[in-house]
């Protein structure tokens, strides 16, 4: 069963006025859940859930990239630390 969105605007308290509304926005790109191309006009408020999902995905990717960069920096710092402060050789 596919649900059809209504055309009632809670801000205007009447039917959507479409392109006359400043919040009627075009979104182009890939849908974050399906991967399908999107090129649609709709109310900015109706786009919020999709854009929030996309934003969350981008934040996760950024977090993973930062963590990977951090790990590489830690490895590099360990190597430099050994070069400048070699372990003492046992005497005897």
């Amino acid at each position: 069963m596919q649900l059809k969105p209504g055309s009632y605007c809670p801000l205007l308290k009447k039917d959507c006025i479409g392109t006359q509304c400043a919040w009627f926005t075009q979104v182009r790109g890939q849908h974050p859940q399906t991967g399908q191309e999107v090129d649609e006009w709709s109310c900015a408020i109706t786009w919020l859930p999709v854009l929030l999902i996309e934003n969350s995905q981008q934040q996760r990717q950024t977090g993973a990239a930062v963590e990977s960069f951090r790990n590489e920096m830690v490895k590099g710092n360990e190597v430099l630390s050994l070069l400048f402060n070699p372990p003492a050789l046992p005497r005897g």
Side-chain angles (χ1 to χ4, degrees):
M1 174 179 172
Q2 179 141 356
L3 298 176
K4 301 277 183 186
S7 63
Y8 178 77
C9 175
L11 300 172
L12 299 174
K13 297 188 179 10
K14 62 180 184 179
D15 278 348
C16 176
I17 57 173
T19 57
Q20 294 175 339
C21 180
W23 288 15
F24 204 73
T25 307
Q26 183 180 26
V27 171
R28 289 182 181 168
Q30 285 189 335
H31 194 287
Q33 290 181 314
T34 64
Q36 294 177 337
E37 287 294 317
V38 174
D39 184 5
E40 294 180 29
W41 285 86
S42 188
C43 178
I45 301 300
T46 62
W47 286 119
L48 279 177
V50 173
L51 295 175
L52 287 169
I53 291 168
E54 173 66 15
N55 188 325
S56 295
Q57 288 177 346
Q58 293 298 322
Q59 287 181 5
R60 279 191 291 275
Q61 288 176 359
T62 301
V66 168
E67 183 178 0
S68 175
F69 178 73
R70 177 216 170 265
N71 291 340
E72 291 300 317
M73 292 303 297
V74 167
K75 287 179 192 174
N77 286 340
E78 288 173 352
V79 169
L80 283 175
S81 177
L82 288 174
L83 284 174
F84 288 112
N85 302 314
L89 295 174
R91 295 182 185 176

